[in-house]
Amino acid sequence: VLHTSRPLHTTQQCLAPLPPLPEKGGEVRYGLIPEEFFQFLYPKTGVTGPYMLGTGLVLYLLSKEIYVINHETVAAACILSVIIYGVKKYGSDVAAFADKLNEEKVAKALAVKNEAIKDLETAIEQEKKEQWRVEGRNYLFDAKRNNIAMLLETNYRERLLTVYNEVKKRLDYQVAMQNLKRQKEQDHMIHWVEKNVVQSITPQQQKESIAKCILDLKALSKSAQAAV
Amino acid sequence: GPLAERRLMDVRLGELPTWLATCDLSPQGLLGGVRKAWSSYYDKYINVKRGGPAGISMLLAGYCLLSYVWNYQHISKISFLVSV
C-alpha cells in the first residue's frame, strides 16, 4: 500500500555518492573506555581523575562484595590475558590483511569505473565522427542526382537513336523503291526501243548502211595509213 | 533548541524529568530509540576503514557486565560459592 499522502524525496539527503567511511573509529582507551569519558572529567578532576574513579570503584565493589570473587574470576583473568596477548602480537598483521582485502575491492570497483569511463569516451568520439559524417550527406545526394541525370540522358539518347534508325529505314525503303522503279522503267524502255529499232531496220536500209560503213572504213584506213 | 529535540548529553540535570516526559515511550518509540543508539554506536566504532579491538570489546564487556548483574542473586548465594 503506497501512502500517496507521504511526500517522496523531500529531504536534501541523497544516497549517491555516499560519503566515504571515516578513517578511524572513535578513540578508546585500553580498548574499553571511550575518550569522551576522560574529556568529560578533565575540567573538574584533571588527568588522573578517571583513574582515581576507576580504582575507587573497583575497591568499593570488591570490599562490599558487590563483585564476588569466584572461580569465574580466575577463568576470566586467564581468558583475558590470552586474548590481550593474541591481540597485541597479531593485531597489526590481521589489520594489514584486512586492509589489503579492502584495497583489492576498491581497486576492482575503480577499474570498473575507469573502464566504463573509457568506453563512454570512445562512444562520444565515435558519435562525434558520425555527426561529422552526417554533414557530408549533401555530397551523397549530389552524386545520386548526377547518377539519375546520367541515366535519363542515356535513355533519351538511346530512344533518339532508335527514332533515327527507324526513320532512316523508312526513307531508305522509299529511296530503294524509287530506284527500283526507275531502273525497271529504264530497262523496259531500252528493251522496247531496241526491239523497235531492230524491227524497223528493213533489209534495204541494212544493205545501204553496210555499203556506207564500208566506204567510211576505206576512207578511214586511207587517212590512217597516211598518218602512220 | 527546544527541550524535546535535544540529545541526552545536552540536557541539564534539572531538566531531566521533563525531558523524560517528552520522549516517546511507546514500543515503537523505544524500538526507534534502540535502533538509533545502535546505529550511532555502529557508525562510530565499527563501520570505519581502520577499526581496532575497541568496537567489539566494548560490546563484550557490556555483555559480561549485564550477565553478571542478572546473575548476581544466584552467584552471591553461599551454595554456589561453596560448590565450585
Side-chain angles (χ1 to χ4, degrees):
Chain A
V1 173
L2 180 67
H3 297 277
T4 49
S5 57
R6 183 173 69 93
L8 300 166
H9 295 299
T10 47
T11 57
Q12 286 284 53
Q13 196 181 22
C14 76
L15 290 174
L18 277 176
L21 285 178
E23 274 290 327
K24 292 178 68 65
E27 278 287 323
V28 171
R29 254 198 237 197
Y30 299 112
L32 276 181
I33 304 158
E35 201 51 46
E36 279 87 9
F37 185 66
F38 292 85
Q39 297 305 324
F40 179 65
L41 291 178
Y42 182 79
K44 291 291 184 339
T45 57
V47 176
T48 51
Y51 295 110
M52 285 295 114
L53 178 67
T55 318
L57 254 180
V58 166
L59 288 175
Y60 165 70
L61 292 175
L62 283 173
S63 69
K64 281 282 207 171
E65 287 264 301
I66 296 178
Y67 178 72
V68 181
I69 298 191
N70 48 14
H71 62 284
E72 286 178 13
T73 315
V74 178
C78 296
I79 293 174
L80 270 177
S81 57
V82 166
I83 288 178
I84 290 178
Y85 172 75
V87 164
K88 279 268 178 329
K89 187 133 188 252
Y90 300 113
S92 50
D93 292 338
V94 169
F97 177 70
D99 282 343
K100 199 157 64 75
L101 286 179
N102 252 5
E103 270 288 326
E104 284 170 15
K105 268 193 243 173
V106 165
K108 245 190 277 185
L110 211 66
V112 165
K113 180 181 103 159
N114 284 346
E115 274 284 336
I117 286 181
K118 243 196 309 200
D119 286 340
L120 286 172
E121 275 182 2
T122 43
I124 287 176
E125 276 172 28
Q126 281 177 352
E127 185 64 35
K128 284 213 164 69
K129 199 135 181 257
E130 291 299 316
Q131 283 178 349
W132 167 79
R133 277 206 194 121
V134 154
E135 285 169 16
R137 65 179 173 228
N138 288 334
Y139 299 120
L140 188 72
F141 290 138
D142 281 344
K144 285 198 190 216
R145 244 178 265 133
N146 279 352
N147 279 357
I148 290 179
M150 203 130 16
L151 277 175
L152 285 172
E153 186 75 22
T154 317
N155 211 353
Y156 172 69
R157 289 202 188 172
E158 275 175 0
R159 290 192 198 171
L160 213 58
L161 188 67
T162 321
V163 162
Y164 165 77
N165 283 343
E166 287 296 310
V167 167
K168 188 154 176 308
K169 273 196 274 189
R170 277 160 183 60
L171 290 175
D172 283 345
Y173 172 73
Q174 294 295 330
V175 161
M177 279 283 287
Q178 279 180 4
N179 282 350
L180 184 70
K181 200 157 155 199
R182 182 159 322 142
Q183 199 168 4
K184 283 282 177 242
E185 284 175 0
Q186 233 173 8
D187 287 344
H188 187 260
M189 218 185 302
I190 290 172
H191 193 72
W192 186 78
V193 165
E194 278 183 6
K195 202 166 68 168
N196 277 359
V197 163
V198 164
Q199 273 178 352
S200 72
I201 293 181
T202 59
Q204 179 63 23
Q205 259 180 320
Q206 215 166 2
K207 263 191 221 164
E208 280 181 15
S209 60
I210 285 175
K212 185 97 184 4
C213 287
I214 290 173
L215 278 174
D216 283 334
L217 274 170
K218 273 189 188 161
L220 271 169
S221 70
K222 270 191 201 145
S223 59
Q225 266 182 353
V228 168
Chain B
L3 181 56
E5 291 166 4
R6 275 189 263 169
R7 303 153 64 102
L8 180 57
M9 298 308 288
D10 299 331
V11 171
R12 291 203 185 76
L13 205 58
E15 297 168 353
L16 199 55
T18 37
W19 183 86
L20 277 174
T22 56
C23 74
D24 190 6
L25 289 175
S26 65
Q28 286 98 320
L30 283 174
L31 211 62
V34 167
R35 209 184 314 137
K36 215 154 44 112
W38 164 253
S39 76
S40 55
Y41 176 82
Y42 182 76
D43 287 332
K44 184 149 186 221
Y45 291 105
I46 302 183
N47 199 16
V48 294
K49 273 193 213 164
R50 313 192 67 232
I56 34 166
S57 76
M58 278 200 279
L59 286 172
L60 288 174
Y63 164 72
C64 291
L65 204 67
L66 205 65
S67 62
Y68 184 82
V69 166
W70 281 341
N71 290 338
Y72 179 69
Q73 279 278 28
H74 172 68
I75 287 182
S76 61
K77 275 200 290 208
I78 203 68
S79 53
F80 174 79
L81 287 170
V82 166
S83 64
V84 186

